[in-house]
Amino acid sequence: MIVIVGCIVVLGAVLAGFTWAGGRMGALIHPSEFVIIGGAALGALVVMSPKKVLLDLVRGVFQSVKGSPYNRQGYEDLFKCLYDLLRLARREGIVSLESHISSPEESAIFRKYPRIAKNHHVTEFICGALTPVLEGTAKPEQLPGLLEAEIKVIEEEHHAPLGVLTKTADALPGFGIVAAVLGIVITMGAIDGPVEEIGEKVAAALVGTFLGILMSYGFFAPLAVRMEFLGAAELAYFRTIAVVIQGFVNDLPPKVALEQARRGVGSEVRPTRKRLDELFAEAESA
């Protein structure tokens, strides 16, 4: 929603300034310029992007509009879910987690927290982090390296759609110039026509440059930055999971491991110490 509001503000400010200066809205409406710039930008995006990157880009744009799921409520659900899992392992042994890890979609613990259960990236990461511990295939000192390697892959996959979106934003002013040059070519072909017709064609050509710059710096570049912040929020969420599980593997009690992780969470989404105790009580009573 914030993204939509921001786009409306940018467009509204530009159009308001244009009309305030005496411009006519009709002078900016030239579908051919939109076709040239939009088609060229879309084509370049398809050419430079593998299929997975395109799909990740589309998902990232939709997520930017919806907002980050890694908010305060998302962290509270995460802490309660991990507390339930680690408390069970502490009480009944690590083997008791086998059914929850092998089939998280059927796990009574994961189903208690729909925000976690519906995010398959999060559930896969939690289960993938606990599996070596359950199977005994990794020593406690080896686990941080395994988790960091996985987080690094996630980070690289975040940067790929950001890179192509940023390159597209950088190219848009150039595509605007292409549209403007084509408009001038059309104008030169009608140079012996009425002055009003020539003026309209020159205006259409200049609109191409205007659109390219506005789309680049007003929409595409800010959207890329927005996606970058969302990616950083997701990585912070996964690193919180890693800290909790590493602490538990190093024989920290579940509450201590979660408190350790809480201290590394950003202030905007970090629950207070009092709230963390309330989350423990809610998990225990559920």
Side-chain angles (χ1 to χ4, degrees):
M1 185 59 69
I2 293 177
V3 173
I4 295 176
V5 172
C7 290
I8 292 173
V9 170
V10 170
L11 188 59
V14 171
L15 295 180
F18 178 71
T19 54
W20 196 1
R24 293 181 299 105
M25 292 295 295
L28 296 177
I29 302 175
H30 296 282
S32 60
E33 304 296 319
F34 285 97
V35 171
I36 293 171
I37 298 172
L42 180 60
L45 193 62
V46 171
V47 168
M48 77 173 85
S49 308
K51 180 180 178 180
K52 184 182 185 308
V53 174
L54 281 175
L55 294 175
D56 288 344
L57 177 58
V58 172
R59 281 192 288 266
V61 170
F62 278 113
Q63 194 64 65
S64 297
V65 174
K66 289 172 58 180
S68 174
Y70 307 108
N71 50 25
R72 184 179 293 273
Q73 185 60 53
Y75 272 93
E76 290 185 356
D77 284 354
L78 175 66
F79 285 154
K80 288 195 288 185
C81 180
L82 290 176
Y83 180 62
D84 274 346
L85 289 169
L86 301 186
R87 188 163 58 103
L88 176 64
R90 187 86 168 186
R91 186 174 62 245
E92 301 181 14
I94 192 69
V95 179
S96 62
L97 295 180
E98 184 173 3
S99 60
H100 299 281
I101 293 174
S102 59
S103 302
E105 65 281 355
E106 300 175 4
S107 166
I109 292 179
F110 282 112
R111 282 188 296 182
K112 284 169 57 179
Y113 308 102
R115 290 173 182 265
I116 305 296
K118 292 178 181 178
N119 191 328
H120 70 275
H121 293 296
V122 173
T123 55
E124 286 177 3
F125 187 81
I126 293 173
C127 295
L130 289 171
T131 297
V133 182
L134 177 64
E135 296 177 346
T137 56
K139 297 178 181 179
E141 62 270 17
Q142 294 174 325
L143 189 61
L146 295 176
L147 297 181
E148 189 57 38
E150 189 169 351
I151 291 174
K152 185 176 180 181
V153 171
I154 296 172
E155 185 175 12
E156 290 172 352
E157 290 183 345
H158 276 311
H159 282 308
L162 280 177
V164 298
L165 187 60
T166 301
K167 286 181 172 61
T168 303
D170 293 341
L172 277 167
F175 292 139
I177 293 173
V178 170
V181 171
L182 291 176
I184 294 299
V185 170
I186 295 173
T187 302
M188 297 306 293
I191 197 67
D192 57 347
V195 175
E196 294 81 3
E197 181 182 350
I198 295 174
E200 183 178 352
K201 293 184 181 299
V202 171
L206 294 176
V207 165
T209 303
F210 159 74
L211 286 176
I213 296 173
L214 177 63
M215 290 171 66
S216 174
Y217 297 109
F219 299 102
F220 277 64
L223 182 59
V225 176
R226 174 74 174 176
M227 287 176 58
E228 186 174 3
F229 279 118
L230 291 177
E234 183 173 4
L235 288 173
Y237 198 79
F238 283 116
R239 286 200 165 95
T240 300
I241 297 171
V243 169
V244 173
I245 295 176
Q246 288 169 24
F248 180 74
V249 170
N250 288 323
D251 292 328
L252 290 180
K255 289 184 178 181
V256 177
L258 287 161
E259 167 60 19
Q260 178 178 280
R262 184 193 70 86
R263 294 176 181 271
V265 174
S267 58
E268 183 181 2
V269 294
R270 180 198 306 152
T272 62
R273 185 67 186 85
K274 179 180 178 182
R275 179 56 183 158
L276 188 62
D277 288 336
E278 293 174 354
L279 296 177
F280 294 152
E282 290 173 10
E284 291 170 358
S285 62

